[in-house]
Amino acid sequence: MATKPKSSKKAPAKSSKADMLEYYRGMLLIRRFEEKAGQLYGMGKIAGFCHLYIGQEAVVTGMQACLKDGDQVITGYRDHGHMLACGLDPKGVMAELTGRSGGLSKGKGGSMHMFSREKNFFGGHGIVGAQVPIGTGLAFANKYKGGDNVSVAYFGDGAANQGQVYEAFNMASLWDLPVIYVIENNQYAMGTSVARASAEVELFKRGISFEIEGEAVDGMDVLAVKEAGERAVKYARSGKGPYILEMKTYRYRGHSMSDPAKYRKREEVDDIRSHHDPIEGLKAQLVEDGHATEDELKDIDKEIKGIVKDAADFSLESPEPDPSELWTDVLRETETA
């Protein structure tokens, strides 16, 4: 009998002052980092594709707070925020964006192809939906090795229509793999409304035919994300199999820096910014609960801006990769006699 997906409506449980301040700092770091990346792109310092995460910060921040050492994360091309949330050095992330040797992939991966085995961050994938079967494979490895680690595979509403996603769902459910599928539904995929591209717009229901539990979450509320993430991680870690979380979120910029986003009205974006911004929402709650003053939060913002400035300076001062690096980190067939 198929499981019944659910949509979470109740208010999230209260979090401690320390946790809330940590979430605030984490989201603010992603926001300021991405704003700076957008500036560098406009100056011609970042080339190629550049997909910003502005507006979606609560999703990865809340989910990362649910994980432990050894858990793995994998995502698509909108990956800068995920790397920062995994604890990677902003300098290395920014230097990778500018194609410098100080980057996390030695300046050879760029915006969409970053990786860190140290932090169990497995990309950064430019092919839509390709990360989902790989994330499922990571979960298979976890189960095969006998531990209780989980993998988290992030993908968007556009990728939710990819065939390989459903092949992964089937295997994950069949083998009870410890994977959490996080659908970052930012409403527009590459530029088409989810209502125009998907027959079933409640994406958390996509696992019904595979008997996968799922729920919809307010992805603009980091505390709601954290609470739902805890349920999903506990479920997967206990051996019950995969879990789907549809994060209802929103990106403020276009699909990439080259997208003018003319498919939506400016009033819509302004309304989300004014009434549902994840950072401003948490900021208001911190002040209301007496956890921080406006001045204290301004000091945090000033500190974060300093970290991002240092990262930008490092990314521009770091040298370009030496030509000798062209053939390193490339899998080549061994020559035979």
Side-chain angles (χ1 to χ4, degrees), residues 160-181:
N161 293 323
Q162 286 279 321
Q164 59 190 321
V165 170
Y166 300 98
E167 294 179 43
F169 282 0
N170 184 59
M171 286 186 282
S173 183
L174 186 64
W175 298 330
D176 293 326
L177 301 183
V179 53
I180 297 97
Y181 297 111

PDB file of all heavy atoms in Angstrom, residues 160-181:
ATOM      1  N   ALA A 160      12.928  17.761 -11.419  1.00  0.00           N
ATOM      2  CA  ALA A 160      11.969  16.785 -10.898  1.00  0.00           C
ATOM      3  C   ALA A 160      11.237  16.049 -12.014  1.00  0.00           C
ATOM      4  O   ALA A 160      10.607  15.017 -11.766  1.00  0.00           O
ATOM      5  CB  ALA A 160      10.961  17.484  -9.986  1.00  0.00           C
ATOM      6  N   ASN A 161      11.299  16.554 -13.237  1.00  0.00           N
ATOM      7  CA  ASN A 161      10.648  15.896 -14.367  1.00  0.00           C
ATOM      8  C   ASN A 161      11.594  15.003 -15.159  1.00  0.00           C
ATOM      9  O   ASN A 161      11.203  14.456 -16.194  1.00  0.00           O
ATOM     10  CB  ASN A 161      10.033  16.949 -15.301  1.00  0.00           C
ATOM     11  CG  ASN A 161       8.867  17.679 -14.643  1.00  0.00           C
ATOM     12  OD1 ASN A 161       8.097  17.093 -13.902  1.00  0.00           O
ATOM     13  ND2 ASN A 161       8.753  18.976 -14.904  1.00  0.00           N
ATOM     14  N   GLN A 162      12.818  14.842 -14.698  1.00  0.00           N
ATOM     15  CA  GLN A 162      13.803  14.016 -15.396  1.00  0.00           C
ATOM     16  C   GLN A 162      13.554  12.533 -15.130  1.00  0.00           C
ATOM     17  O   GLN A 162      13.291  12.123 -13.994  1.00  0.00           O
ATOM     18  CB  GLN A 162      15.209  14.371 -14.919  1.00  0.00           C
ATOM     19  CG  GLN A 162      15.719  15.697 -15.443  1.00  0.00           C
ATOM     20  CD  GLN A 162      16.255  15.580 -16.861  1.00  0.00           C
ATOM     21  OE1 GLN A 162      16.897  14.614 -17.215  1.00  0.00           O
ATOM     22  NE2 GLN A 162      15.969  16.585 -17.664  1.00  0.00           N
ATOM     23  N   GLY A 163      13.694  11.726 -16.173  1.00  0.00           N
ATOM     24  CA  GLY A 163      13.476  10.293 -16.032  1.00  0.00           C
ATOM     25  C   GLY A 163      14.426   9.621 -15.068  1.00  0.00           C
ATOM     26  O   GLY A 163      14.036   8.709 -14.326  1.00  0.00           O
ATOM     27  N   GLN A 164      15.684  10.056 -15.059  1.00  0.00           N
ATOM     28  CA  GLN A 164      16.659   9.417 -14.172  1.00  0.00           C
ATOM     29  C   GLN A 164      16.315   9.606 -12.704  1.00  0.00           C
ATOM     30  O   GLN A 164      16.715   8.800 -11.852  1.00  0.00           O
ATOM     31  CB  GLN A 164      18.058   9.962 -14.458  1.00  0.00           C
ATOM     32  CG  GLN A 164      18.210  11.460 -14.284  1.00  0.00           C
ATOM     33  CD  GLN A 164      19.537  11.972 -14.821  1.00  0.00           C
ATOM     34  OE1 GLN A 164      20.557  11.320 -14.666  1.00  0.00           O
ATOM     35  NE2 GLN A 164      19.518  13.124 -15.459  1.00  0.00           N
ATOM     36  N   VAL A 165      15.547  10.655 -12.390  1.00  0.00           N
ATOM     37  CA  VAL A 165      15.119  10.876 -11.010  1.00  0.00           C
ATOM     38  C   VAL A 165      14.236   9.717 -10.556  1.00  0.00           C
ATOM     39  O   VAL A 165      14.378   9.196  -9.439  1.00  0.00           O
ATOM     40  CB  VAL A 165      14.372  12.216 -10.890  1.00  0.00           C
ATOM     41  CG1 VAL A 165      13.713  12.356  -9.519  1.00  0.00           C
ATOM     42  CG2 VAL A 165      15.326  13.377 -11.142  1.00  0.00           C
ATOM     43  N   TYR A 166      13.342   9.270 -11.430  1.00  0.00           N
ATOM     44  CA  TYR A 166      12.404   8.211 -11.055  1.00  0.00           C
ATOM     45  C   TYR A 166      13.066   6.838 -11.032  1.00  0.00           C
ATOM     46  O   TYR A 166      12.681   5.970 -10.238  1.00  0.00           O
ATOM     47  CB  TYR A 166      11.186   8.267 -11.974  1.00  0.00           C
ATOM     48  CG  TYR A 166      10.521   9.602 -11.820  1.00  0.00           C
ATOM     49  CD1 TYR A 166      10.763  10.627 -12.718  1.00  0.00           C
ATOM     50  CD2 TYR A 166       9.740   9.865 -10.696  1.00  0.00           C
ATOM     51  CE1 TYR A 166      10.230  11.891 -12.515  1.00  0.00           C
ATOM     52  CE2 TYR A 166       9.187  11.115 -10.493  1.00  0.00           C
ATOM     53  CZ  TYR A 166       9.430  12.114 -11.404  1.00  0.00           C
ATOM     54  OH  TYR A 166       8.911  13.361 -11.187  1.00  0.00           O
ATOM     55  N   GLU A 167      14.058   6.635 -11.854  1.00  0.00           N
ATOM     56  CA  GLU A 167      14.840   5.412 -11.755  1.00  0.00           C
ATOM     57  C   GLU A 167      15.534   5.357 -10.403  1.00  0.00           C
ATOM     58  O   GLU A 167      15.613   4.294  -9.756  1.00  0.00           O
ATOM     59  CB  GLU A 167      15.873   5.355 -12.882  1.00  0.00           C
ATOM     60  CG  GLU A 167      15.271   5.240 -14.278  1.00  0.00           C
ATOM     61  CD  GLU A 167      16.349   5.215 -15.354  1.00  0.00           C
ATOM     62  OE1 GLU A 167      17.364   4.529 -15.161  1.00  0.00           O
ATOM     63  OE2 GLU A 167      16.161   5.888 -16.382  1.00  0.00           O
ATOM     64  N   ALA A 168      16.055   6.516  -9.961  1.00  0.00           N
ATOM     65  CA  ALA A 168      16.709   6.580  -8.655  1.00  0.00           C
ATOM     66  C   ALA A 168      15.704   6.345  -7.532  1.00  0.00           C
ATOM     67  O   ALA A 168      15.986   5.627  -6.566  1.00  0.00           O
ATOM     68  CB  ALA A 168      17.398   7.933  -8.486  1.00  0.00           C
ATOM     69  N   PHE A 169      14.518   6.965  -7.632  1.00  0.00           N
ATOM     70  CA  PHE A 169      13.468   6.757  -6.633  1.00  0.00           C
ATOM     71  C   PHE A 169      13.160   5.268  -6.475  1.00  0.00           C
ATOM     72  O   PHE A 169      13.026   4.750  -5.370  1.00  0.00           O
ATOM     73  CB  PHE A 169      12.186   7.482  -7.045  1.00  0.00           C
ATOM     74  CG  PHE A 169      12.169   8.968  -6.798  1.00  0.00           C
ATOM     75  CD1 PHE A 169      13.264   9.617  -6.238  1.00  0.00           C
ATOM     76  CD2 PHE A 169      11.061   9.722  -7.134  1.00  0.00           C
ATOM     77  CE1 PHE A 169      13.248  10.991  -6.018  1.00  0.00           C
ATOM     78  CE2 PHE A 169      11.026  11.090  -6.915  1.00  0.00           C
ATOM     79  CZ  PHE A 169      12.120  11.721  -6.354  1.00  0.00           C
ATOM     80  N   ASN A 170      13.007   4.591  -7.613  1.00  0.00           N
ATOM     81  CA  ASN A 170      12.637   3.178  -7.589  1.00  0.00           C
ATOM     82  C   ASN A 170      13.683   2.338  -6.858  1.00  0.00           C
ATOM     83  O   ASN A 170      13.357   1.513  -5.994  1.00  0.00           O
ATOM     84  CB  ASN A 170      12.453   2.662  -9.012  1.00  0.00           C
ATOM     85  CG  ASN A 170      11.974   1.224  -9.048  1.00  0.00           C
ATOM     86  OD1 ASN A 170      10.918   0.900  -8.516  1.00  0.00           O
ATOM     87  ND2 ASN A 170      12.759   0.346  -9.653  1.00  0.00           N
ATOM     88  N   MET A 171      14.957   2.559  -7.191  1.00  0.00           N
ATOM     89  CA  MET A 171      16.014   1.782  -6.558  1.00  0.00           C
ATOM     90  C   MET A 171      16.127   2.124  -5.066  1.00  0.00           C
ATOM     91  O   MET A 171      16.325   1.236  -4.235  1.00  0.00           O
ATOM     92  CB  MET A 171      17.344   2.036  -7.265  1.00  0.00           C
ATOM     93  CG  MET A 171      17.442   1.352  -8.616  1.00  0.00           C
ATOM     94  SD  MET A 171      19.065   1.495  -9.376  1.00  0.00           S
ATOM     95  CE  MET A 171      18.991   3.167 -10.006  1.00  0.00           C
ATOM     96  N   ALA A 172      16.008   3.409  -4.747  1.00  0.00           N
ATOM     97  CA  ALA A 172      16.138   3.826  -3.347  1.00  0.00           C
ATOM     98  C   ALA A 172      15.048   3.201  -2.489  1.00  0.00           C
ATOM     99  O   ALA A 172      15.301   2.758  -1.359  1.00  0.00           O
ATOM    100  CB  ALA A 172      16.087   5.344  -3.249  1.00  0.00           C
ATOM    101  N   SER A 173      13.822   3.146  -3.008  1.00  0.00           N
ATOM    102  CA  SER A 173      12.717   2.559  -2.264  1.00  0.00           C
ATOM    103  C   SER A 173      12.832   1.039  -2.202  1.00  0.00           C
ATOM    104  O   SER A 173      12.606   0.423  -1.158  1.00  0.00           O
ATOM    105  CB  SER A 173      11.388   2.961  -2.901  1.00  0.00           C
ATOM    106  OG  SER A 173      10.299   2.449  -2.156  1.00  0.00           O
ATOM    107  N   LEU A 174      13.220   0.444  -3.308  1.00  0.00           N
ATOM    108  CA  LEU A 174      13.346  -1.009  -3.378  1.00  0.00           C
ATOM    109  C   LEU A 174      14.358  -1.539  -2.371  1.00  0.00           C
ATOM    110  O   LEU A 174      14.152  -2.578  -1.731  1.00  0.00           O
ATOM    111  CB  LEU A 174      13.761  -1.407  -4.800  1.00  0.00           C
ATOM    112  CG  LEU A 174      13.822  -2.898  -5.141  1.00  0.00           C
ATOM    113  CD1 LEU A 174      12.433  -3.526  -5.047  1.00  0.00           C
ATOM    114  CD2 LEU A 174      14.398  -3.089  -6.528  1.00  0.00           C
ATOM    115  N   TRP A 175      15.443  -0.771  -2.195  1.00  0.00           N
ATOM    116  CA  TRP A 175      16.530  -1.210  -1.318  1.00  0.00           C
ATOM    117  C   TRP A 175      16.582  -0.452   0.014  1.00  0.00           C
ATOM    118  O   TRP A 175      17.531  -0.599   0.776  1.00  0.00           O
ATOM    119  CB  TRP A 175      17.871  -1.053  -2.053  1.00  0.00           C
ATOM    120  CG  TRP A 175      17.980  -1.893  -3.293  1.00  0.00           C
ATOM    121  CD1 TRP A 175      17.379  -3.097  -3.524  1.00  0.00           C
ATOM    122  CD2 TRP A 175      18.725  -1.586  -4.469  1.00  0.00           C
ATOM    123  NE1 TRP A 175      17.701  -3.566  -4.774  1.00  0.00           N
ATOM    124  CE2 TRP A 175      18.537  -2.657  -5.387  1.00  0.00           C
ATOM    125  CE3 TRP A 175      19.542  -0.530  -4.858  1.00  0.00           C
ATOM    126  CZ2 TRP A 175      19.126  -2.689  -6.646  1.00  0.00           C
ATOM    127  CZ3 TRP A 175      20.135  -0.553  -6.114  1.00  0.00           C
ATOM    128  CH2 TRP A 175      19.918  -1.619  -6.986  1.00  0.00           C
ATOM    129  N   ASP A 176      15.556   0.359   0.286  1.00  0.00           N
ATOM    130  CA  ASP A 176      15.495   1.122   1.546  1.00  0.00           C
ATOM    131  C   ASP A 176      16.773   1.918   1.785  1.00  0.00           C
ATOM    132  O   ASP A 176      17.394   1.859   2.861  1.00  0.00           O
ATOM    133  CB  ASP A 176      15.242   0.193   2.743  1.00  0.00           C
ATOM    134  CG  ASP A 176      13.866  -0.439   2.714  1.00  0.00           C
ATOM    135  OD1 ASP A 176      12.921   0.220   2.242  1.00  0.00           O
ATOM    136  OD2 ASP A 176      13.730  -1.594   3.164  1.00  0.00           O
ATOM    137  N   LEU A 177      17.168   2.687   0.794  1.00  0.00           N
ATOM    138  CA  LEU A 177      18.426   3.429   0.895  1.00  0.00           C
ATOM    139  C   LEU A 177      18.265   4.707   1.728  1.00  0.00           C
ATOM    140  O   LEU A 177      17.245   5.396   1.638  1.00  0.00           O
ATOM    141  CB  LEU A 177      18.945   3.782  -0.496  1.00  0.00           C
ATOM    142  CG  LEU A 177      19.221   2.590  -1.424  1.00  0.00           C
ATOM    143  CD1 LEU A 177      19.801   3.072  -2.751  1.00  0.00           C
ATOM    144  CD2 LEU A 177      20.162   1.578  -0.768  1.00  0.00           C
ATOM    145  N   PRO A 178      19.269   5.049   2.527  1.00  0.00           N
ATOM    146  CA  PRO A 178      19.207   6.228   3.403  1.00  0.00           C
ATOM    147  C   PRO A 178      19.526   7.527   2.661  1.00  0.00           C
ATOM    148  O   PRO A 178      20.598   8.109   2.823  1.00  0.00           O
ATOM    149  CB  PRO A 178      20.252   5.913   4.470  1.00  0.00           C
ATOM    150  CG  PRO A 178      21.292   5.106   3.742  1.00  0.00           C
ATOM    151  CD  PRO A 178      20.516   4.273   2.753  1.00  0.00           C
ATOM    152  N   VAL A 179      18.583   7.979   1.851  1.00  0.00           N
ATOM    153  CA  VAL A 179      18.793   9.203   1.075  1.00  0.00           C
ATOM    154  C   VAL A 179      17.603  10.134   1.267  1.00  0.00           C
ATOM    155  O   VAL A 179      16.453   9.692   1.292  1.00  0.00           O
ATOM    156  CB  VAL A 179      18.993   8.886  -0.430  1.00  0.00           C
ATOM    157  CG1 VAL A 179      17.859   8.037  -0.988  1.00  0.00           C
ATOM    158  CG2 VAL A 179      19.152  10.165  -1.248  1.00  0.00           C
ATOM    159  N   ILE A 180      17.884  11.425   1.431  1.00  0.00           N
ATOM    160  CA  ILE A 180      16.841  12.446   1.491  1.00  0.00           C
ATOM    161  C   ILE A 180      16.892  13.228   0.189  1.00  0.00           C
ATOM    162  O   ILE A 180      17.930  13.811  -0.151  1.00  0.00           O
ATOM    163  CB  ILE A 180      17.024  13.410   2.686  1.00  0.00           C
ATOM    164  CG1 ILE A 180      16.914  12.639   4.014  1.00  0.00           C
ATOM    165  CG2 ILE A 180      15.978  14.510   2.656  1.00  0.00           C
ATOM    166  CD1 ILE A 180      18.231  12.247   4.608  1.00  0.00           C
ATOM    167  N   TYR A 181      15.800  13.210  -0.540  1.00  0.00           N
ATOM    168  CA  TYR A 181      15.702  13.971  -1.779  1.00  0.00           C
ATOM    169  C   TYR A 181      15.083  15.334  -1.462  1.00  0.00           C
ATOM    170  O   TYR A 181      13.935  15.410  -1.028  1.00  0.00           O
ATOM    171  CB  TYR A 181      14.826  13.234  -2.797  1.00  0.00           C
ATOM    172  CG  TYR A 181      15.382  11.894  -3.228  1.00  0.00           C
ATOM    173  CD1 TYR A 181      14.763  10.706  -2.853  1.00  0.00           C
ATOM    174  CD2 TYR A 181      16.531  11.826  -4.013  1.00  0.00           C
ATOM    175  CE1 TYR A 181      15.271   9.481  -3.258  1.00  0.00           C
ATOM    176  CE2 TYR A 181      17.048  10.598  -4.429  1.00  0.00           C
ATOM    177  CZ  TYR A 181      16.409   9.432  -4.044  1.00  0.00           C
ATOM    178  OH  TYR A 181      16.920   8.214  -4.441  1.00  0.00           O
TER     179      TYR A 181
END
